[in-house]
PDB file of all heavy atoms in Angstrom:
ATOM      1  N   LEU A 103     -35.001  39.655 -14.330  1.00  0.00           N
ATOM      2  CA  LEU A 103     -36.357  39.224 -14.661  1.00  0.00           C
ATOM      3  C   LEU A 103     -37.391  40.078 -13.929  1.00  0.00           C
ATOM      4  O   LEU A 103     -38.370  40.542 -14.526  1.00  0.00           O
ATOM      5  CB  LEU A 103     -36.528  37.757 -14.300  1.00  0.00           C
ATOM      6  CG  LEU A 103     -37.896  37.130 -14.621  1.00  0.00           C
ATOM      7  CD1 LEU A 103     -38.181  37.211 -16.116  1.00  0.00           C
ATOM      8  CD2 LEU A 103     -37.944  35.680 -14.127  1.00  0.00           C
ATOM      9  N   GLU A 104     -37.170  40.309 -12.642  1.00  0.00           N
ATOM     10  CA  GLU A 104     -38.104  41.114 -11.852  1.00  0.00           C
ATOM     11  C   GLU A 104     -38.207  42.532 -12.394  1.00  0.00           C
ATOM     12  O   GLU A 104     -39.301  43.102 -12.503  1.00  0.00           O
ATOM     13  CB  GLU A 104     -37.665  41.151 -10.388  1.00  0.00           C
ATOM     14  CG  GLU A 104     -37.834  39.832  -9.654  1.00  0.00           C
ATOM     15  CD  GLU A 104     -37.172  39.854  -8.280  1.00  0.00           C
ATOM     16  OE1 GLU A 104     -36.650  40.927  -7.897  1.00  0.00           O
ATOM     17  OE2 GLU A 104     -37.185  38.808  -7.618  1.00  0.00           O
ATOM     18  N   ARG A 105     -37.071  43.121 -12.737  1.00  0.00           N
ATOM     19  CA  ARG A 105     -37.062  44.492 -13.250  1.00  0.00           C
ATOM     20  C   ARG A 105     -37.793  44.587 -14.582  1.00  0.00           C
ATOM     21  O   ARG A 105     -38.539  45.543 -14.824  1.00  0.00           O
ATOM     22  CB  ARG A 105     -35.618  44.981 -13.408  1.00  0.00           C
ATOM     23  CG  ARG A 105     -34.886  45.200 -12.104  1.00  0.00           C
ATOM     24  CD  ARG A 105     -33.415  45.517 -12.381  1.00  0.00           C
ATOM     25  NE  ARG A 105     -32.665  45.730 -11.140  1.00  0.00           N
ATOM     26  CZ  ARG A 105     -31.351  45.951 -11.096  1.00  0.00           C
ATOM     27  NH1 ARG A 105     -30.662  46.004 -12.229  1.00  0.00           N
ATOM     28  NH2 ARG A 105     -30.733  46.127  -9.946  1.00  0.00           N
ATOM     29  N   LEU A 106     -37.569  43.615 -15.450  1.00  0.00           N
ATOM     30  CA  LEU A 106     -38.207  43.651 -16.759  1.00  0.00           C
ATOM     31  C   LEU A 106     -39.717  43.515 -16.631  1.00  0.00           C
ATOM     32  O   LEU A 106     -40.476  44.245 -17.294  1.00  0.00           O
ATOM     33  CB  LEU A 106     -37.640  42.550 -17.651  1.00  0.00           C
ATOM     34  CG  LEU A 106     -38.207  42.492 -19.068  1.00  0.00           C
ATOM     35  CD1 LEU A 106     -38.065  43.835 -19.767  1.00  0.00           C
ATOM     36  CD2 LEU A 106     -37.534  41.388 -19.869  1.00  0.00           C
ATOM     37  N   ILE A 107     -40.170  42.613 -15.782  1.00  0.00           N
ATOM     38  CA  ILE A 107     -41.611  42.436 -15.573  1.00  0.00           C
ATOM     39  C   ILE A 107     -42.219  43.712 -15.002  1.00  0.00           C
ATOM     40  O   ILE A 107     -43.283  44.177 -15.440  1.00  0.00           O
ATOM     41  CB  ILE A 107     -41.881  41.241 -14.639  1.00  0.00           C
ATOM     42  CG1 ILE A 107     -41.509  39.931 -15.333  1.00  0.00           C
ATOM     43  CG2 ILE A 107     -43.353  41.219 -14.218  1.00  0.00           C
ATOM     44  CD1 ILE A 107     -41.545  38.717 -14.423  1.00  0.00           C
ATOM     45  N   ALA A 108     -41.529  44.313 -14.021  1.00  0.00           N
ATOM     46  CA  ALA A 108     -42.046  45.512 -13.363  1.00  0.00           C
ATOM     47  C   ALA A 108     -42.186  46.684 -14.320  1.00  0.00           C
ATOM     48  O   ALA A 108     -43.143  47.455 -14.249  1.00  0.00           O
ATOM     49  CB  ALA A 108     -41.145  45.892 -12.187  1.00  0.00           C
ATOM     50  N   ARG A 109     -41.243  46.836 -15.224  1.00  0.00           N
ATOM     51  CA  ARG A 109     -41.260  48.011 -16.097  1.00  0.00           C
ATOM     52  C   ARG A 109     -42.068  47.799 -17.374  1.00  0.00           C
ATOM     53  O   ARG A 109     -42.486  48.761 -18.011  1.00  0.00           O
ATOM     54  CB  ARG A 109     -39.837  48.433 -16.458  1.00  0.00           C
ATOM     55  CG  ARG A 109     -39.202  47.693 -17.604  1.00  0.00           C
ATOM     56  CD  ARG A 109     -37.811  48.200 -17.900  1.00  0.00           C
ATOM     57  NE  ARG A 109     -37.310  47.731 -19.178  1.00  0.00           N
ATOM     58  CZ  ARG A 109     -36.053  47.840 -19.568  1.00  0.00           C
ATOM     59  NH1 ARG A 109     -35.168  48.402 -18.765  1.00  0.00           N
ATOM     60  NH2 ARG A 109     -35.664  47.405 -20.746  1.00  0.00           N
ATOM     61  N   SER A 110     -42.295  46.537 -17.750  1.00  0.00           N
ATOM     62  CA  SER A 110     -42.942  46.268 -19.038  1.00  0.00           C
ATOM     63  C   SER A 110     -44.356  45.717 -18.919  1.00  0.00           C
ATOM     64  O   SER A 110     -45.146  45.832 -19.859  1.00  0.00           O
ATOM     65  CB  SER A 110     -42.104  45.264 -19.838  1.00  0.00           C
ATOM     66  OG  SER A 110     -42.101  43.997 -19.197  1.00  0.00           O
ATOM     67  N   GLY A 111     -44.658  45.088 -17.767  1.00  0.00           N
ATOM     68  CA  GLY A 111     -45.955  44.448 -17.622  1.00  0.00           C
ATOM     69  C   GLY A 111     -46.058  43.123 -18.346  1.00  0.00           C
ATOM     70  O   GLY A 111     -47.144  42.540 -18.440  1.00  0.00           O
ATOM     71  N   LEU A 112     -44.936  42.606 -18.846  1.00  0.00           N
ATOM     72  CA  LEU A 112     -44.934  41.319 -19.533  1.00  0.00           C
ATOM     73  C   LEU A 112     -45.188  40.183 -18.541  1.00  0.00           C
ATOM     74  O   LEU A 112     -44.930  40.317 -17.343  1.00  0.00           O
ATOM     75  CB  LEU A 112     -43.583  41.089 -20.209  1.00  0.00           C
ATOM     76  CG  LEU A 112     -43.223  41.976 -21.399  1.00  0.00           C
ATOM     77  CD1 LEU A 112     -41.752  41.797 -21.753  1.00  0.00           C
ATOM     78  CD2 LEU A 112     -44.102  41.659 -22.604  1.00  0.00           C
ATOM     79  N   THR A 113     -45.673  39.062 -19.044  1.00  0.00           N
ATOM     80  CA  THR A 113     -45.754  37.873 -18.210  1.00  0.00           C
ATOM     81  C   THR A 113     -44.338  37.378 -17.948  1.00  0.00           C
ATOM     82  O   THR A 113     -43.384  37.741 -18.658  1.00  0.00           O
ATOM     83  CB  THR A 113     -46.546  36.757 -18.908  1.00  0.00           C
ATOM     84  OG1 THR A 113     -45.820  36.336 -20.080  1.00  0.00           O
ATOM     85  CG2 THR A 113     -47.934  37.238 -19.316  1.00  0.00           C
ATOM     86  N   GLU A 114     -44.183  36.539 -16.938  1.00  0.00           N
ATOM     87  CA  GLU A 114     -42.854  36.013 -16.631  1.00  0.00           C
ATOM     88  C   GLU A 114     -42.286  35.250 -17.819  1.00  0.00           C
ATOM     89  O   GLU A 114     -41.094  35.378 -18.141  1.00  0.00           O
ATOM     90  CB  GLU A 114     -42.920  35.107 -15.403  1.00  0.00           C
ATOM     91  CG  GLU A 114     -41.565  34.554 -15.003  1.00  0.00           C
ATOM     92  CD  GLU A 114     -41.598  33.767 -13.700  1.00  0.00           C
ATOM     93  OE1 GLU A 114     -42.551  33.965 -12.909  1.00  0.00           O
ATOM     94  OE2 GLU A 114     -40.679  32.963 -13.478  1.00  0.00           O
ATOM     95  N   ALA A 115     -43.138  34.478 -18.508  1.00  0.00           N
ATOM     96  CA  ALA A 115     -42.664  33.691 -19.646  1.00  0.00           C
ATOM     97  C   ALA A 115     -42.198  34.596 -20.780  1.00  0.00           C
ATOM     98  O   ALA A 115     -41.141  34.359 -21.388  1.00  0.00           O
ATOM     99  CB  ALA A 115     -43.774  32.761 -20.131  1.00  0.00           C
ATOM    100  N   ASP A 116     -42.974  35.650 -21.071  1.00  0.00           N
ATOM    101  CA  ASP A 116     -42.593  36.554 -22.157  1.00  0.00           C
ATOM    102  C   ASP A 116     -41.337  37.337 -21.801  1.00  0.00           C
ATOM    103  O   ASP A 116     -40.471  37.574 -22.656  1.00  0.00           O
ATOM    104  CB  ASP A 116     -43.737  37.517 -22.469  1.00  0.00           C
ATOM    105  CG  ASP A 116     -44.865  36.849 -23.249  1.00  0.00           C
ATOM    106  OD1 ASP A 116     -44.620  35.780 -23.839  1.00  0.00           O
ATOM    107  OD2 ASP A 116     -45.984  37.394 -23.258  1.00  0.00           O
ATOM    108  N   ALA A 117     -41.241  37.750 -20.540  1.00  0.00           N
ATOM    109  CA  ALA A 117     -40.050  38.482 -20.103  1.00  0.00           C
ATOM    110  C   ALA A 117     -38.805  37.605 -20.208  1.00  0.00           C
ATOM    111  O   ALA A 117     -37.753  38.048 -20.678  1.00  0.00           O
ATOM    112  CB  ALA A 117     -40.237  38.980 -18.674  1.00  0.00           C
ATOM    113  N   GLN A 118     -38.923  36.360 -19.783  1.00  0.00           N
ATOM    114  CA  GLN A 118     -37.778  35.448 -19.859  1.00  0.00           C
ATOM    115  C   GLN A 118     -37.393  35.177 -21.307  1.00  0.00           C
ATOM    116  O   GLN A 118     -36.205  35.069 -21.633  1.00  0.00           O
ATOM    117  CB  GLN A 118     -38.102  34.132 -19.146  1.00  0.00           C
ATOM    118  CG  GLN A 118     -36.897  33.218 -18.970  1.00  0.00           C
ATOM    119  CD  GLN A 118     -35.834  33.845 -18.094  1.00  0.00           C
ATOM    120  OE1 GLN A 118     -36.095  34.202 -16.941  1.00  0.00           O
ATOM    121  NE2 GLN A 118     -34.624  33.976 -18.608  1.00  0.00           N
ATOM    122  N   ARG A 119     -38.387  35.115 -22.174  1.00  0.00           N
ATOM    123  CA  ARG A 119     -38.105  34.889 -23.598  1.00  0.00           C
ATOM    124  C   ARG A 119     -37.280  36.033 -24.164  1.00  0.00           C
ATOM    125  O   ARG A 119     -36.350  35.814 -24.948  1.00  0.00           O
ATOM    126  CB  ARG A 119     -39.421  34.736 -24.365  1.00  0.00           C
ATOM    127  CG  ARG A 119     -39.246  34.316 -25.814  1.00  0.00           C
ATOM    128  CD  ARG A 119     -40.575  34.071 -26.508  1.00  0.00           C
ATOM    129  NE  ARG A 119     -41.319  32.998 -25.852  1.00  0.00           N
ATOM    130  CZ  ARG A 119     -42.465  33.172 -25.185  1.00  0.00           C
ATOM    131  NH1 ARG A 119     -42.996  34.365 -25.069  1.00  0.00           N
ATOM    132  NH2 ARG A 119     -43.061  32.148 -24.625  1.00  0.00           N
ATOM    133  N   ARG A 120     -37.581  37.252 -23.762  1.00  0.00           N
ATOM    134  CA  ARG A 120     -36.822  38.407 -24.260  1.00  0.00           C
ATOM    135  C   ARG A 120     -35.402  38.406 -23.690  1.00  0.00           C
ATOM    136  O   ARG A 120     -34.457  38.745 -24.403  1.00  0.00           O
ATOM    137  CB  ARG A 120     -37.549  39.704 -23.903  1.00  0.00           C
ATOM    138  CG  ARG A 120     -38.885  39.822 -24.598  1.00  0.00           C
ATOM    139  CD  ARG A 120     -39.435  41.209 -24.627  1.00  0.00           C
ATOM    140  NE  ARG A 120     -40.738  41.217 -25.281  1.00  0.00           N
ATOM    141  CZ  ARG A 120     -41.411  42.303 -25.602  1.00  0.00           C
ATOM    142  NH1 ARG A 120     -40.896  43.498 -25.331  1.00  0.00           N
ATOM    143  NH2 ARG A 120     -42.583  42.233 -26.202  1.00  0.00           N
ATOM    144  N   ILE A 121     -35.265  38.020 -22.448  1.00  0.00           N
ATOM    145  CA  ILE A 121     -33.921  37.919 -21.866  1.00  0.00           C
ATOM    146  C   ILE A 121     -33.110  36.845 -22.587  1.00  0.00           C
ATOM    147  O   ILE A 121     -31.936  37.040 -22.907  1.00  0.00           O
ATOM    148  CB  ILE A 121     -34.022  37.612 -20.357  1.00  0.00           C
ATOM    149  CG1 ILE A 121     -34.589  38.820 -19.603  1.00  0.00           C
ATOM    150  CG2 ILE A 121     -32.652  37.225 -19.790  1.00  0.00           C
ATOM    151  CD1 ILE A 121     -34.911  38.554 -18.146  1.00  0.00           C
ATOM    152  N   ASP A 122     -33.757  35.718 -22.853  1.00  0.00           N
ATOM    153  CA  ASP A 122     -33.064  34.600 -23.488  1.00  0.00           C
ATOM    154  C   ASP A 122     -32.688  34.888 -24.934  1.00  0.00           C
ATOM    155  O   ASP A 122     -31.838  34.190 -25.505  1.00  0.00           O
ATOM    156  CB  ASP A 122     -33.932  33.340 -23.424  1.00  0.00           C
ATOM    157  CG  ASP A 122     -34.094  32.801 -22.012  1.00  0.00           C
ATOM    158  OD1 ASP A 122     -33.294  33.192 -21.138  1.00  0.00           O
ATOM    159  OD2 ASP A 122     -35.039  32.021 -21.781  1.00  0.00           O
ATOM    160  N   SER A 123     -33.298  35.895 -25.542  1.00  0.00           N
ATOM    161  CA  SER A 123     -32.970  36.232 -26.928  1.00  0.00           C
ATOM    162  C   SER A 123     -31.619  36.928 -27.029  1.00  0.00           C
ATOM    163  O   SER A 123     -31.083  37.078 -28.135  1.00  0.00           O
ATOM    164  CB  SER A 123     -34.053  37.129 -27.540  1.00  0.00           C
ATOM    165  OG  SER A 123     -34.000  38.445 -27.008  1.00  0.00           O
ATOM    166  N   GLN A 124     -31.073  37.364 -25.877  1.00  0.00           N
ATOM    167  CA  GLN A 124     -29.783  38.047 -25.855  1.00  0.00           C
ATOM    168  C   GLN A 124     -28.694  37.124 -25.310  1.00  0.00           C
ATOM    169  O   GLN A 124     -28.977  36.101 -24.689  1.00  0.00           O
ATOM    170  CB  GLN A 124     -29.866  39.306 -24.982  1.00  0.00           C
ATOM    171  CG  GLN A 124     -30.877  40.325 -25.470  1.00  0.00           C
ATOM    172  CD  GLN A 124     -30.894  41.569 -24.614  1.00  0.00           C
ATOM    173  OE1 GLN A 124     -30.327  41.617 -23.525  1.00  0.00           O
ATOM    174  NE2 GLN A 124     -31.555  42.601 -25.115  1.00  0.00           N
ATOM    175  N   MET A 125     -27.450  37.519 -25.555  1.00  0.00           N
ATOM    176  CA  MET A 125     -26.323  36.778 -24.999  1.00  0.00           C
ATOM    177  C   MET A 125     -26.409  36.811 -23.470  1.00  0.00           C
ATOM    178  O   MET A 125     -26.744  37.845 -22.887  1.00  0.00           O
ATOM    179  CB  MET A 125     -25.007  37.423 -25.467  1.00  0.00           C
ATOM    180  CG  MET A 125     -23.750  36.728 -24.952  1.00  0.00           C
ATOM    181  SD  MET A 125     -22.240  37.604 -25.452  1.00  0.00           S
ATOM    182  CE  MET A 125     -22.273  37.330 -27.221  1.00  0.00           C
ATOM    183  N   PRO A 126     -26.117  35.708 -22.786  1.00  0.00           N
ATOM    184  CA  PRO A 126     -26.160  35.705 -21.317  1.00  0.00           C
ATOM    185  C   PRO A 126     -25.276  36.802 -20.738  1.00  0.00           C
ATOM    186  O   PRO A 126     -24.172  37.056 -21.226  1.00  0.00           O
ATOM    187  CB  PRO A 126     -25.637  34.305 -20.952  1.00  0.00           C
ATOM    188  CG  PRO A 126     -25.958  33.463 -22.145  1.00  0.00           C
ATOM    189  CD  PRO A 126     -25.787  34.371 -23.330  1.00  0.00           C
ATOM    190  N   ILE A 127     -25.777  37.438 -19.688  1.00  0.00           N
ATOM    191  CA  ILE A 127     -25.057  38.580 -19.121  1.00  0.00           C
ATOM    192  C   ILE A 127     -23.693  38.171 -18.575  1.00  0.00           C
ATOM    193  O   ILE A 127     -22.727  38.952 -18.635  1.00  0.00           O
ATOM    194  CB  ILE A 127     -25.910  39.262 -18.033  1.00  0.00           C
ATOM    195  CG1 ILE A 127     -25.327  40.629 -17.681  1.00  0.00           C
ATOM    196  CG2 ILE A 127     -26.081  38.390 -16.831  1.00  0.00           C
ATOM    197  CD1 ILE A 127     -25.334  41.603 -18.813  1.00  0.00           C
ATOM    198  N   ASP A 128     -23.560  36.955 -18.065  1.00  0.00           N
ATOM    199  CA  ASP A 128     -22.257  36.496 -17.567  1.00  0.00           C
ATOM    200  C   ASP A 128     -21.223  36.453 -18.692  1.00  0.00           C
ATOM    201  O   ASP A 128     -20.049  36.778 -18.472  1.00  0.00           O
ATOM    202  CB  ASP A 128     -22.382  35.106 -16.933  1.00  0.00           C
ATOM    203  CG  ASP A 128     -23.066  35.155 -15.582  1.00  0.00           C
ATOM    204  OD1 ASP A 128     -23.255  36.268 -15.047  1.00  0.00           O
ATOM    205  OD2 ASP A 128     -23.406  34.078 -15.062  1.00  0.00           O
ATOM    206  N   GLU A 129     -21.652  36.057 -19.874  1.00  0.00           N
ATOM    207  CA  GLU A 129     -20.741  36.003 -21.016  1.00  0.00           C
ATOM    208  C   GLU A 129     -20.331  37.416 -21.433  1.00  0.00           C
ATOM    209  O   GLU A 129     -19.159  37.661 -21.765  1.00  0.00           O
ATOM    210  CB  GLU A 129     -21.411  35.281 -22.194  1.00  0.00           C
ATOM    211  CG  GLU A 129     -20.544  35.175 -23.439  1.00  0.00           C
ATOM    212  CD  GLU A 129     -19.245  34.425 -23.224  1.00  0.00           C
ATOM    213  OE1 GLU A 129     -19.201  33.543 -22.326  1.00  0.00           O
ATOM    214  OE2 GLU A 129     -18.271  34.710 -23.946  1.00  0.00           O
ATOM    215  N   LYS A 130     -21.275  38.350 -21.406  1.00  0.00           N
ATOM    216  CA  LYS A 130     -20.931  39.732 -21.733  1.00  0.00           C
ATOM    217  C   LYS A 130     -19.921  40.286 -20.729  1.00  0.00           C
ATOM    218  O   LYS A 130     -18.969  40.983 -21.109  1.00  0.00           O
ATOM    219  CB  LYS A 130     -22.189  40.602 -21.754  1.00  0.00           C
ATOM    220  CG  LYS A 130     -23.146  40.265 -22.876  1.00  0.00           C
ATOM    221  CD  LYS A 130     -24.316  41.231 -22.923  1.00  0.00           C
ATOM    222  CE  LYS A 130     -25.242  40.895 -24.081  1.00  0.00           C
ATOM    223  NZ  LYS A 130     -26.334  41.868 -24.239  1.00  0.00           N
ATOM    224  N   ALA A 131     -20.124  39.969 -19.457  1.00  0.00           N
ATOM    225  CA  ALA A 131     -19.214  40.465 -18.420  1.00  0.00           C
ATOM    226  C   ALA A 131     -17.797  39.951 -18.640  1.00  0.00           C
ATOM    227  O   ALA A 131     -16.815  40.672 -18.427  1.00  0.00           O
ATOM    228  CB  ALA A 131     -19.729  40.074 -17.042  1.00  0.00           C
ATOM    229  N   LYS A 132     -17.668  38.704 -19.084  1.00  0.00           N
ATOM    230  CA  LYS A 132     -16.347  38.134 -19.328  1.00  0.00           C
ATOM    231  C   LYS A 132     -15.606  38.865 -20.449  1.00  0.00           C
ATOM    232  O   LYS A 132     -14.379  38.899 -20.465  1.00  0.00           O
ATOM    233  CB  LYS A 132     -16.479  36.650 -19.698  1.00  0.00           C
ATOM    234  CG  LYS A 132     -16.924  35.759 -18.552  1.00  0.00           C
ATOM    235  CD  LYS A 132     -17.102  34.329 -19.035  1.00  0.00           C
ATOM    236  CE  LYS A 132     -17.617  33.430 -17.926  1.00  0.00           C
ATOM    237  NZ  LYS A 132     -17.856  32.046 -18.411  1.00  0.00           N
ATOM    238  N   ARG A 133     -16.352  39.434 -21.382  1.00  0.00           N
ATOM    239  CA  ARG A 133     -15.740  40.078 -22.548  1.00  0.00           C
ATOM    240  C   ARG A 133     -15.478  41.572 -22.328  1.00  0.00           C
ATOM    241  O   ARG A 133     -14.925  42.233 -23.209  1.00  0.00           O
ATOM    242  CB  ARG A 133     -16.652  39.901 -23.766  1.00  0.00           C
ATOM    243  CG  ARG A 133     -16.910  38.454 -24.135  1.00  0.00           C
ATOM    244  CD  ARG A 133     -17.700  38.374 -25.430  1.00  0.00           C
ATOM    245  NE  ARG A 133     -18.020  36.994 -25.782  1.00  0.00           N
ATOM    246  CZ  ARG A 133     -18.469  36.634 -26.976  1.00  0.00           C
ATOM    247  NH1 ARG A 133     -18.642  37.530 -27.927  1.00  0.00           N
ATOM    248  NH2 ARG A 133     -18.757  35.362 -27.221  1.00  0.00           N
ATOM    249  N   ALA A 134     -15.903  42.103 -21.202  1.00  0.00           N
ATOM    250  CA  ALA A 134     -15.834  43.546 -20.969  1.00  0.00           C
ATOM    251  C   ALA A 134     -14.490  43.970 -20.394  1.00  0.00           C
ATOM    252  O   ALA A 134     -13.766  43.185 -19.790  1.00  0.00           O
ATOM    253  CB  ALA A 134     -16.941  43.960 -20.006  1.00  0.00           C
ATOM    254  N   HIS A 135     -14.161  45.250 -20.590  1.00  0.00           N
ATOM    255  CA  HIS A 135     -13.028  45.851 -19.907  1.00  0.00           C
ATOM    256  C   HIS A 135     -13.416  46.202 -18.466  1.00  0.00           C
ATOM    257  O   HIS A 135     -12.602  46.075 -17.553  1.00  0.00           O
ATOM    258  CB  HIS A 135     -12.581  47.127 -20.625  1.00  0.00           C
ATOM    259  CG  HIS A 135     -11.999  46.887 -21.987  1.00  0.00           C
ATOM    260  ND1 HIS A 135     -12.772  46.814 -23.123  1.00  0.00           N
ATOM    261  CD2 HIS A 135     -10.711  46.718 -22.385  1.00  0.00           C
ATOM    262  CE1 HIS A 135     -11.993  46.605 -24.171  1.00  0.00           C
ATOM    263  NE2 HIS A 135     -10.739  46.541 -23.757  1.00  0.00           N
ATOM    264  N   TYR A 136     -14.658  46.660 -18.297  1.00  0.00           N
ATOM    265  CA  TYR A 136     -15.157  47.044 -16.974  1.00  0.00           C
ATOM    266  C   TYR A 136     -16.578  46.525 -16.815  1.00  0.00           C
ATOM    267  O   TYR A 136     -17.343  46.483 -17.788  1.00  0.00           O
ATOM    268  CB  TYR A 136     -15.185  48.570 -16.804  1.00  0.00           C
ATOM    269  CG  TYR A 136     -13.851  49.249 -16.995  1.00  0.00           C
ATOM    270  CD1 TYR A 136     -13.570  49.943 -18.174  1.00  0.00           C
ATOM    271  CD2 TYR A 136     -12.870  49.213 -16.004  1.00  0.00           C
ATOM    272  CE1 TYR A 136     -12.353  50.571 -18.365  1.00  0.00           C
ATOM    273  CE2 TYR A 136     -11.648  49.837 -16.190  1.00  0.00           C
ATOM    274  CZ  TYR A 136     -11.387  50.515 -17.370  1.00  0.00           C
ATOM    275  OH  TYR A 136     -10.174  51.129 -17.546  1.00  0.00           O
ATOM    276  N   VAL A 137     -16.920  46.141 -15.583  1.00  0.00           N
ATOM    277  CA  VAL A 137     -18.270  45.675 -15.266  1.00  0.00           C
ATOM    278  C   VAL A 137     -18.832  46.520 -14.132  1.00  0.00           C
ATOM    279  O   VAL A 137     -18.160  46.734 -13.116  1.00  0.00           O
ATOM    280  CB  VAL A 137     -18.284  44.183 -14.865  1.00  0.00           C
ATOM    281  CG1 VAL A 137     -19.704  43.756 -14.467  1.00  0.00           C
ATOM    282  CG2 VAL A 137     -17.762  43.311 -16.007  1.00  0.00           C
ATOM    283  N   ILE A 138     -20.058  47.000 -14.305  1.00  0.00           N
ATOM    284  CA  ILE A 138     -20.774  47.712 -13.255  1.00  0.00           C
ATOM    285  C   ILE A 138     -21.826  46.766 -12.707  1.00  0.00           C
ATOM    286  O   ILE A 138     -22.756  46.374 -13.421  1.00  0.00           O
ATOM    287  CB  ILE A 138     -21.445  48.992 -13.789  1.00  0.00           C
ATOM    288  CG1 ILE A 138     -20.408  49.930 -14.407  1.00  0.00           C
ATOM    289  CG2 ILE A 138     -22.202  49.705 -12.671  1.00  0.00           C
ATOM    290  CD1 ILE A 138     -21.022  51.101 -15.153  1.00  0.00           C
ATOM    291  N   ASP A 139     -21.690  46.390 -11.446  1.00  0.00           N
ATOM    292  CA  ASP A 139     -22.652  45.508 -10.796  1.00  0.00           C
ATOM    293  C   ASP A 139     -23.797  46.365 -10.262  1.00  0.00           C
ATOM    294  O   ASP A 139     -23.632  47.100  -9.299  1.00  0.00           O
ATOM    295  CB  ASP A 139     -21.975  44.745  -9.660  1.00  0.00           C
ATOM    296  CG  ASP A 139     -22.914  43.774  -8.951  1.00  0.00           C
ATOM    297  OD1 ASP A 139     -24.110  43.718  -9.329  1.00  0.00           O
ATOM    298  OD2 ASP A 139     -22.469  43.089  -8.019  1.00  0.00           O
ATOM    299  N   THR A 140     -24.961  46.271 -10.907  1.00  0.00           N
ATOM    300  CA  THR A 140     -26.113  47.086 -10.511  1.00  0.00           C
ATOM    301  C   THR A 140     -27.052  46.344  -9.561  1.00  0.00           C
ATOM    302  O   THR A 140     -28.192  46.747  -9.364  1.00  0.00           O
ATOM    303  CB  THR A 140     -26.905  47.534 -11.750  1.00  0.00           C
ATOM    304  OG1 THR A 140     -27.490  46.378 -12.382  1.00  0.00           O
ATOM    305  CG2 THR A 140     -26.017  48.269 -12.741  1.00  0.00           C
ATOM    306  N   SER A 141     -26.554  45.259  -8.962  1.00  0.00           N
ATOM    307  CA  SER A 141     -27.398  44.466  -8.066  1.00  0.00           C
ATOM    308  C   SER A 141     -27.678  45.159  -6.740  1.00  0.00           C
ATOM    309  O   SER A 141     -28.666  44.848  -6.065  1.00  0.00           O
ATOM    310  CB  SER A 141     -26.734  43.112  -7.773  1.00  0.00           C
ATOM    311  OG  SER A 141     -26.523  42.378  -8.943  1.00  0.00           O
ATOM    312  N   GLY A 142     -26.797  46.083  -6.358  1.00  0.00           N
ATOM    313  CA  GLY A 142     -26.929  46.727  -5.055  1.00  0.00           C
ATOM    314  C   GLY A 142     -27.708  48.028  -5.111  1.00  0.00           C
ATOM    315  O   GLY A 142     -28.586  48.223  -5.959  1.00  0.00           O
ATOM    316  N   SER A 143     -27.352  48.940  -4.217  1.00  0.00           N
ATOM    317  CA  SER A 143     -28.056  50.216  -4.115  1.00  0.00           C
ATOM    318  C   SER A 143     -27.619  51.165  -5.232  1.00  0.00           C
ATOM    319  O   SER A 143     -26.594  50.952  -5.892  1.00  0.00           O
ATOM    320  CB  SER A 143     -27.761  50.862  -2.765  1.00  0.00           C
ATOM    321  OG  SER A 143     -26.383  51.221  -2.675  1.00  0.00           O
TER     322      SER A 143
END
């Protein structure tokens, strides 16, 4: 959410709406062969 707001200038509500329009990231991770965790450095 923070990254999307920072790069797009959207309001928090609009940014969250765009995130919610996609499949939850946890569900995508469960279906993947490999997961890259970009939370760190």
Side-chain angles (χ1 to χ4, degrees):
L103 182 60
E104 290 170 4
R105 291 173 180 176
L106 181 55
I107 292 171
R109 83 179 194 192
S110 66
L112 291 169
T113 65
E114 182 174 339
D116 284 342
Q118 190 63 58
R119 188 176 299 113
R120 295 198 182 188
I121 291 172
D122 292 343
S123 72
Q124 299 182 348
M125 180 184 292
I127 194 63
D128 286 349
E129 180 60 28
K130 293 185 178 185
K132 291 177 183 177
R133 300 186 183 193
H135 293 87
Y136 302 104
V137 177
I138 302 171
D139 181 358
T140 66
S141 300
S143 66

